Amino acid sequence: MNRILVTGYKAAELGIYSLKHPGIPIIKKAIKKQVTALIDEGLEWIIVSGQWGVELWAAEAVLELQETYEQLQLAVITPFLEQEEKWSDEKKSLYASVLQRANYVNSVTKSKYDGPWQFKEKNKFLLRNSDGIILLYDEEKEGSPKFIKEQALAIAKTQDYRIFSITANDLQNIVEEEQMEQY
């Protein structure tokens, strides 16, 4: 269990359009909690594709955790080259900072965006090269993570592939914990 893929919703699917959205620290805290629990089981690598949303926030969370857990490594494996091309300057800057500090950066396809097939190839590659997945997804709010969840479930039926979910309830619990700490 040393390579875990972290994925979930794109920012727009969560209604998050600002880097200062109050939900981002909550999501990062939930990811840190899950990752920290897995470090004790021998987790070495977190893999993300760096999409704008849960994956980029997960990368930030891992970079923050590296200050405490030096053995923790971050791999950013994008579906295609220059995926940030059409992002705002603020998002590009954050993305560049993450790539700069990641332990490994690569692309599944060695070209710029060419079609949806690149996302399918990315999912296959990342699932094939990980031992499990942390998925921020809520069954009641369908979205893009549904597809990779279905693929992960299919893999888990034939081999030891662990699936860890972060749900809306988990996020709500963190919000409530933080509110309790303030009083």
Side-chain angles (χ1 to χ4, degrees), residues 45-50 59 62 73-77 102-106:
W45 283 91
I46 291 293
I47 306 166
V48 299
S49 74
V62 170
Q73 308 279 301
L74 173 64
V76 180
I77 303 174
N103 302 90
Y104 180 80
V105 178
N106 209 336

Side-chain angles (χ1 to χ4, degrees), residues 16 53 62 79 109 116 121 149 162 180-181:
I16 295 177
V62 170
T109 62
E121 287 306 310
K149 180 178 185 180
R162 292 175 64 194
M180 299 289 256
E181 287 169 14

Side-chain angles (χ1 to χ4, degrees), residues 153-165:
L153 287 167
I155 291 169
K157 284 180 182 164
T158 61
Q159 64 192 63
D160 183 20
Y161 193 85
R162 292 175 64 194
I163 300 170
F164 304 93
S165 291

Side-chain angles (χ1 to χ4, degrees), residues 24-70:
I24 296 172
I26 302 298
I27 290 168
K28 284 169 64 174
K29 192 168 188 177
I31 291 167
K32 282 181 179 178
K33 208 172 185 177
Q34 187 65 68
V35 167
T36 305
L38 292 171
I39 286 172
D40 296 336
E41 294 182 35
L43 174 64
E44 294 170 19
W45 283 91
I46 291 293
I47 306 166
V48 299
S49 74
Q51 77 181 15
W52 174 244
V54 169
E55 293 197 18
L56 208 50
W57 305 324
E60 283 187 294
V62 170
L63 292 169
E64 291 165 18
L65 283 172
Q66 283 180 336
E67 294 168 18
T68 310
Y69 303 97
E70 292 166 15

Side-chain angles (χ1 to χ4, degrees), residues 16-21 24 52 57 90-91:
I16 295 177
Y17 300 98
S18 160
L19 295 176
K20 293 171 181 57
H21 191 282
I24 296 172
W52 174 244
W57 305 324
E90 194 181 21
K91 290 174 186 171

